[in-house]
Amino acid sequence: MLGTLLLIGMLVCGFLNVTPWVLIPGAIIAGFLGMHYPPGKAAAARERGFYWKGVFGSMPLQAILLAILYGIGWGISTLIGQRL
Protein backbone atom coordinates (compact mmCIF):
# COMPACT_ATOMS: atom_id res chain seq x y z
CA MET A 1 0.00 0.00 0.00
CA LEU A 2 2.67 2.51 1.01
CA GLY A 3 4.90 1.47 -1.87
CA THR A 4 2.04 1.96 -4.31
CA LEU A 5 1.37 5.42 -2.92
CA LEU A 6 5.06 6.26 -3.32
CA LEU A 7 5.02 5.15 -6.96
CA ILE A 8 1.88 7.15 -7.70
CA GLY A 9 3.44 10.12 -5.89
CA MET A 10 6.48 9.98 -8.18
CA LEU A 11 4.23 10.00 -11.24
CA VAL A 12 2.39 13.01 -9.85
CA CYS A 13 5.65 14.81 -8.99
CA GLY A 14 6.84 14.31 -12.55
CA PHE A 15 3.52 15.47 -13.94
CA LEU A 16 3.60 18.62 -11.79
CA ASN A 17 7.26 19.27 -12.73
CA VAL A 18 8.43 19.14 -9.14
CA THR A 19 12.22 19.27 -8.80
CA PRO A 20 13.90 15.91 -9.51
CA TRP A 21 15.59 16.13 -6.10
CA VAL A 22 12.52 14.33 -4.70
CA LEU A 23 13.98 11.15 -6.19
CA ILE A 24 16.69 10.92 -3.51
CA PRO A 25 14.40 10.74 -0.46
CA GLY A 26 11.98 8.68 -2.53
CA ALA A 27 14.67 6.07 -3.20
CA ILE A 28 15.57 5.93 0.50
CA ILE A 29 11.94 5.47 1.49
CA ALA A 30 11.43 2.85 -1.22
CA GLY A 31 14.50 0.94 -0.01
CA PHE A 32 13.13 0.73 3.52
CA LEU A 33 9.63 -0.13 2.34
CA GLY A 34 11.01 -2.88 0.14
CA MET A 35 12.90 -4.34 3.06
CA HIS A 36 10.00 -4.25 5.52
CA TYR A 37 7.17 -5.60 3.36
CA PRO A 38 6.12 -8.41 3.50
CA PRO A 39 6.26 -8.52 7.28
CA GLY A 40 9.06 -10.65 8.65
CA LYS A 41 11.44 -9.96 5.78
CA ALA A 42 13.46 -7.44 7.81
CA ALA A 43 13.69 -9.77 10.81
CA ALA A 44 14.99 -12.58 8.62
CA ALA A 45 17.58 -10.25 7.08
CA ARG A 46 18.71 -9.11 10.54
CA GLU A 47 19.13 -12.72 11.65
CA ARG A 48 21.31 -13.47 8.63
CA GLY A 49 23.29 -10.27 9.10
CA PHE A 50 22.57 -8.51 5.82
CA TYR A 51 19.85 -6.04 6.73
CA TRP A 52 21.78 -2.86 5.91
CA LYS A 53 23.44 -4.45 2.90
CA GLY A 54 19.99 -5.29 1.55
CA VAL A 55 18.62 -1.81 2.18
CA PHE A 56 21.55 0.04 0.64
CA GLY A 57 21.93 -2.49 -2.15
CA SER A 58 18.35 -2.00 -3.30
CA MET A 59 18.47 1.82 -3.34
CA PRO A 60 20.08 2.19 -6.80
CA LEU A 61 17.44 -0.05 -8.34
CA GLN A 62 14.70 1.81 -6.49
CA ALA A 63 16.13 5.13 -7.72
CA ILE A 64 16.11 3.90 -11.33
CA LEU A 65 12.49 2.78 -11.05
CA LEU A 66 11.45 6.07 -9.45
CA ALA A 67 13.33 8.05 -12.11
CA ILE A 68 11.50 6.15 -14.85
CA LEU A 69 8.14 6.82 -13.20
CA TYR A 70 9.06 10.49 -12.67
CA GLY A 71 10.02 10.70 -16.34
CA ILE A 72 6.75 9.13 -17.44
CA GLY A 73 4.82 11.71 -15.42
CA TRP A 74 6.95 14.52 -16.85
CA GLY A 75 6.48 13.17 -20.37
CA ILE A 76 2.72 12.99 -20.01
CA SER A 77 2.70 16.57 -18.75
CA THR A 78 4.81 17.68 -21.71
CA LEU A 79 2.71 15.80 -24.25
CA ILE A 80 -0.56 17.33 -23.14
CA GLY A 81 1.06 20.74 -22.79
CA GLN A 82 -0.10 21.40 -19.27
CA ARG A 83 2.15 23.60 -17.15
CA LEU A 84 0.91 23.81 -13.59
Side-chain angles (χ1 to χ4, degrees):
M1 172 83 179
L2 293 174
T4 304
L5 291 175
L6 178 67
L7 298 177
I8 292 170
M10 280 299 131
L11 279 168
V12 170
C13 285
F15 183 79
L16 296 176
N17 295 319
V18 175
T19 180
W21 285 102
V22 299
L23 295 173
I24 294 171
I28 294 169
I29 293 168
F32 280 102
L33 287 176
M35 181 57 80
H36 288 273
Y37 293 99
K41 188 175 176 184
R46 276 193 195 108
E47 289 174 3
R48 294 182 188 132
F50 64 88
Y51 175 80
W52 289 109
K53 183 179 179 181
V55 170
F56 290 126
S58 70
M59 281 186 198
L61 295 174
Q62 300 287 353
I64 291 169
L65 174 64
L66 294 178
I68 290 170
L69 291 172
Y70 181 91
I72 290 171
W74 179 82
I76 291 171
S77 173
T78 301
L79 284 175
I80 63 173
Q82 183 174 356
R83 301 284 180 194
L84 297 176

